[in-house]
């Protein structure tokens, strides 16, 4: 069984400040981990994924995440927030790369608010 | 990039009627499609996995007779909510993959049952 916990349903940061969105997972097998972003009235877009290669994963739009097995975490960061980063962010886990054979287990999502 | 189209984006229906939601992969062939349901302030919950030409695999607790899934071609999967009731009101999202690759998501369908 797998599960994902995203700490903080809402995170507010100032424009230009560091963005940190927290994700902890539980998995009985080595996980594949994903971060997705959802803008209003749009589908989920993949930001980045971890599939047992490098533990520090770089994604689109300047985001990156670090897989820490000892902490069962996969936190998402961005050094400098932009107004366009305001969106809903979902962390997800799968036991297969890309979730191709298995569906994804999602966290509840974190709404990122960017203050001007 | 790969595009998944979901239609309709919003539907309102009367209790007891059936509603069909379409999920199309526009520029790739989707060997597997997934259907998720999202409740307010909750995460997306996987309902079923659909492979082209095969019966869908439903997650525990999902009524297969209530949520009929058809994946008749490599670019189209449909979810039919039969005899809909107010408790079926939710946000339904589909995704599609090409042979184990990344999941590409539709924009979702907001179903409201009166």
């Amino acid at each position: 069984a797998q599960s994902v916990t995203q700490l903080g349903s809402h995170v507010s940061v100032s424009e230009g400040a560091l963005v940190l969105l927290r994700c902890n997972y539980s998995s009985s097998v080595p996980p594949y981990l994903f971060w997705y972003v959802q803008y209003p009235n749009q589908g989920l877009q993949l930001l980045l994924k971890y599939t047992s290669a490098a533990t520090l994963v770089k994604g689109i739009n300047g985001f990156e995440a670090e897989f820490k097995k000892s902490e069962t975490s996969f936190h998402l960061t961005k050094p400098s927030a932009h107004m366009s980063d305001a969106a809903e962010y979902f962390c997800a886990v799968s036991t297969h790369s890309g979730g191709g054979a298995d569906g994804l287990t999602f966290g509840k999502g974190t709404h990122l608010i960017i203050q001007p | 990039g790969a595009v998944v189209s979901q239609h309709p984006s919003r539907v309102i229906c009367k209790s007891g009627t059936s509603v069909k939601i379409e999920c199309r992969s526009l520029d790739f062939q989707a060997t597997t499609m997934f259907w998720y349901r999202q409740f307010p302030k909750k995460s997306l919950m996987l309902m079923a996995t659909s492979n082209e030409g095969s019966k869908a695999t439903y997650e525990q607790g999902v009524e297969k007779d209530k949520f009929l899934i058809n994946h008749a071609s490599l670019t189209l999967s449909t979810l039919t909510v039969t005899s809909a009731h107010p408790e079926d009101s939710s946000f339904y999202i589909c995704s599609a993959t090409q042979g184990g690759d990344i999941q590409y998501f539709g924009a979702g369908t907001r179903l409201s049952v009166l």
Side-chain angles (χ1 to χ4, degrees):
Chain A
Q2 309 161 108
S3 66
V4 175
T5 302
Q6 289 183 242
L7 296 177
S9 59
H10 290 77
V11 169
S12 179
V13 302
S14 298
E15 189 174 17
L18 171 72
V19 175
L20 171 61
L21 304 183
R22 299 178 185 273
C23 172
N24 289 87
Y25 70 91
S26 171
S27 177
S28 56
V29 297
Y32 294 104
L33 295 158
F34 307 82
W35 275 100
Y36 281 87
V37 60
Q38 185 178 33
Y39 298 101
N41 301 316
Q42 294 185 30
L44 279 71
Q45 179 183 1
L46 181 68
L47 276 177
L48 49 78
K49 64 177 181 178
Y50 166 77
T51 56
S52 75
T55 56
L56 182 62
V57 182
K58 295 187 183 297
I60 63 171
N61 302 339
F63 284 93
E64 61 182 38
E66 186 172 9
F67 172 70
K68 292 187 177 180
K69 184 178 179 180
S70 61
E71 299 178 7
T72 60
S73 69
F74 190 57
H75 302 329
L76 182 70
T77 61
K78 181 173 181 177
S80 177
H82 294 170
M83 296 299 293
S84 59
D85 294 328
E88 191 82 17
Y89 291 80
F90 292 94
C91 182
V93 64
S94 170
T95 55
H96 291 262
S97 176
D102 290 346
L104 297 169
T105 300
F106 284 89
K108 291 185 178 181
T110 298
H111 187 65
L112 178 62
I113 300 164
I114 309 298
Q115 304 280 5
Chain B
V3 178
V4 174
S5 174
Q6 200 171 328
H7 178 80
S9 58
R10 185 180 180 97
V11 58
I12 302 172
C13 69
K14 293 182 178 180
S15 185
T17 61
S18 294
V19 174
K20 180 184 285 188
I21 302 170
E22 291 187 350
C23 180
R24 293 181 184 272
S25 56
L26 297 186
D27 50 3
F28 67 100
Q29 293 187 326
T31 52
T32 305
M33 288 184 169
F34 301 89
W35 287 94
Y36 295 84
R37 181 174 178 175
Q38 185 177 29
F39 293 96
K41 298 183 180 181
K42 292 194 174 183
S43 61
L44 285 75
M45 304 294 292
L46 179 66
M47 298 176 65
T49 301
S50 170
N51 291 294
E52 185 265 338
S54 303
K55 289 184 178 180
T57 302
Y58 291 80
E59 294 299 301
Q60 189 174 7
V62 177
E63 300 176 59
K64 59 182 180 182
D65 294 331
K66 153 89 53 192
F67 299 100
L68 299 179
I69 291 172
N70 184 280
H71 193 163
S73 77
L74 284 171
T75 59
L76 174 64
S77 177
T78 60
L79 168 67
T80 302
V81 183
T82 62
S83 186
H85 291 282
E87 57 266 30
D88 299 324
S89 298
S90 194
F91 194 58
Y92 294 88
I93 304 175
C94 73
S95 71
T97 75
Q98 302 180 257
D101 216 338
I102 296 167
Q103 287 191 35
Y104 300 95
F105 285 82
T109 298
R110 175 77 58 193
L111 171 63
S112 300
V113 184
L114 305 178

